[in-house]
Amino acid sequence: MWLIKDAHVVDPAQEIDRTCDVLFDNTIIAIGTDLSDKDIPDDDSSLSIVNAAGKYLFPGLVDVHTHLREPGREDKEDIASGSRAAVRGGFTTILAMANTQPVIDNRGLVEFVLRQGERAKGARVLPVAAVTMGLQGNELVNMAELHKAGAVAFSDDGRGIQRAQTMLLALQYARLTGCPLISHCENESLAAGGSMRRGPRSARLGLAGIPASAESVMAARDVLLAQECGGKLHLAHLSTAAAVLALRWGKQQGIDVSGEVNPHHLIFCDDDIGLTDTSLKVNPPLPSAADRDVLLDALADGSIDMLATDHAPHAWEEKAQPFAEAPFGINAFETALAAVWTSLVKPGKLSVAQLVRAWSLNPARRFGVTGGSLRVGDPADIVLFDPDHAEVIGEGAWLSKSTNTPYWGQKMQGFPVAAWVGGELRADRSGMRIL
Amino acid sequence: MDLKPKPWQHKDLLGIEQLSAHDIAQIFQAAVSMKEILERPIKKLPTLRGKSVGMLFYEASTRTRVSFETAAKTLGADVGAFAVNTSSVSKGESLLDTAKTLDAMKFDLIVIRHASSGAAAFLADNLSAGVINAGDGQHEHPTQALLDAFTLCERFGPGAPSETVPGTGTKTDYTKTVPDKLLAGRKIVIVGDILHSRVARSNALCLRRLGADVTFVGPPTLLPPEMACWDVTISHDLDAVLQGADAVMALRLQLERQKSGLFPSVQEYAKLYGLTVGRLKQTCRETLLLHPGPMNRGVEIDSELADSFSSVVEEQVTNGVAVRMALIYLLIGGGFNS
């Protein structure tokens, strides 16, 4: 049993945003001012008391977009390393995408991901199943069976579903499960062969460009399809102004649509790309500066519902190639919160409450998964965040198997110093002073 | 031979982007001397004896590779050529490992051509030897731009023969010129597949540095608006921009672009953007015609015109060797990597 004293508790679900104490074991027992031994139901000798003055306490972050590479590419990451890196980064629940080798498109593999997650004792790992067999964009997976086995969403993420009819049927059929269908909005004929956003910067670098329309036309298409069939749609990794417009329009029409944005699309833009810095090569590509501003506004006003990392680990030698040949993806679990804190929260572009709403409450609600609030009786998925804690990335601990982050070697500030999953302390970088 | 290089600051030549107008003038000054050497009966110098230059060509190229080899050998350097399709590269060796191997062989300079933009910069990041970019993807082809600009300066720069009185030219002393005005007031039209052309990119950068006005011409699919980012004029109408052009450069059209739908037919392309004797008259002045080669006769240039400017093409080839000699000298002879 834990008593965290004098933390700045931010829990938008209960509209708490003030200094108080939190008492929990497996579940939240009490939140209030001046909690003490007498608030503990029985005489519990295992009580740990933490003085958290100057630190924030949030419900654990929920990341709906991650790639854990197991099965198939355990050299880059596996479920154990990924879920531990995640909890070190402040995430207590993560959704693992299905584009592994083999693809998560059958019941055995859904159960495998769940079981590996339970063994790892990191963040809770919940499987996203593929929409189509082998991500081929043709036959649907057995959605009802996979949902029953534990899949919490469906996505062919990594590839867009090119045939509109397939997407329409998938949205329709997924209604059986109540799960969101996550769309990776990418028109392959428009994106073909590109390695960064098309614009003056790609022209200058001589890198084949991916036009914004490659995402926007698919976002617009999928919103219209969801309207037609009443499906539950979630737009992954939004990176264009027009896709945001499609999302806003969809919400105004009452369509059941939500959207996410990745930290790197809010922090970097295409002008930051250099010819040999493949750590910024990501799909969808970094937006123009103007589109980045639109994305940030949309997150701040709630049009974009949530943040998600799109954690995409890659082997060092794969990224140590000329830009056009390197794979897409940014390793994000252990830097994402510090990056958002430094680039968005500290300068006042996003409040702490907005941060917690977008990265904990909203994703937990939308996907119907554990976490998102600190109500009494909820599982104790908790993060203790120290805005002053600074680290040089790569010096000291690093739990992901890969290092493909643009922040490698840089000093960052604002880290989760402890995280509990179901009341169990699973990450602790604070040398927390337990009283 | 008096090259008297002012301190040359570059380890590598990766693109025109990194060169100042002063750097370019310095290369030209050295190239003037190198060209004199090429005109001697015995074309061999001991200057770079004991130095080695490696040729790493991942894309087919005859003229550029031979030009570099001739330049290096004339200066007395040893040349090692890697036939990429018969070496370990074809066994899947990464560019990084190839770079490490080259470094271990203690080359002084590596000349690389590669299909990926940024490959030369990638190699430079990982090598202690100097690197010359002989063309990287759609990014840059700096030596082509330098030889084109050198040819233009010979014709139009200070010390160039008068346009009205033939045979009046003197050798330009580039140490006594204002580098960023070398081509001031000159209008250069570059026509063709600008989007996919590293030659167009490097030329735009180089010619703008030297003060020329540059116009890009091509169909909208091969010349999207973002290509104006080098402070050049964009046009889709060749006939409308030819008037007053001092030089026109025709880019080679990759015929397979038609299959990916970038333009409807070679015939329509030739009609709109092909250079002919008649069309070139619209410049209303003596116009220098440039082509990086190899030409598609009857597509971007008609045969009659191609044959009529062959002397300039030969001049360009000689200038190519001279400019590359100058660069190799600056990079490993008197300068940075020696």
Side-chain angles (χ1 to χ4, degrees), chain B residues 91-253:
Chain B
K91 296 172 190 163
E93 185 177 72
S94 73
L95 186 57
L96 182 68
D97 287 334
T98 304
K100 286 179 181 161
T101 307
L102 293 173
D103 237 10
M105 292 176 181
K106 306 297 177 195
F107 277 96
D108 298 290
L109 189 65
I110 298 294
V111 179
I112 180 177
R113 169 170 287 192
H114 197 282
S116 288
S117 302
F122 175 83
L123 205 64
D125 282 352
N126 291 287
L127 273 185
S128 46
V131 173
I132 292 182
N133 180 6
D136 63 327
Q138 299 169 12
H139 177 228
E140 282 225 44
H141 189 354
T143 60
Q144 178 71 44
L146 288 167
L147 79 89
D148 288 336
F150 184 69
T151 306
L152 289 166
C153 283
E154 279 189 328
R155 185 67 69 97
F156 301 123
S162 155
E163 283 171 40
T164 48
V165 190
T168 52
T170 56
K171 296 283 181 207
T172 305
D173 182 351
Y174 287 96
T175 59
K176 297 200 174 90
T177 58
V178 182
D180 57 4
K181 299 246 175 356
L182 275 171
L183 292 172
R186 296 294 171 177
K187 177 178 178 182
I188 319 292
V189 172
I190 302 177
V191 55
D193 179 1
I194 310 287
L195 175 62
H196 300 98
S197 175
R198 55 195 176 208
V199 173
R201 281 176 172 78
S202 286
N203 261 294
L205 281 163
C206 189
L207 296 169
R208 294 294 297 132
R209 291 264 202 285
L210 303 180
D213 295 322
V214 177
T215 302
F216 279 161
V217 190
T221 45
L222 299 177
L223 179 53
E226 63 264 24
M227 303 302 289
C229 64
W230 293 275
D231 188 24
V232 300
T233 306
I234 296 255
S235 169
H236 306 302
D237 184 349
L238 179 58
D239 295 315
V241 299
L242 279 175
Q243 194 179 5
D246 294 290
V248 178
M249 178 184 297
L251 299 171
R252 179 180 166 79
L253 183 73

Side-chain angles (χ1 to χ4, degrees), chain A residues 79 113-123 125 426:
Chain A
I79 291 171
V113 171
L114 276 173
R115 196 168 58 245
Q116 291 293 76
E118 282 159 14
R119 278 183 190 153
K121 305 255 177 245
V125 178
R426 288 194 176 173

Side-chain angles (χ1 to χ4, degrees), chain A residues 224-240:
Chain A
L224 291 170
L225 294 176
Q227 180 183 38
E228 199 157 270
C229 69
K232 186 171 184 175
L233 174 68
H234 177 76
L235 301 175
H237 45 50
L238 291 166
S239 74
T240 70

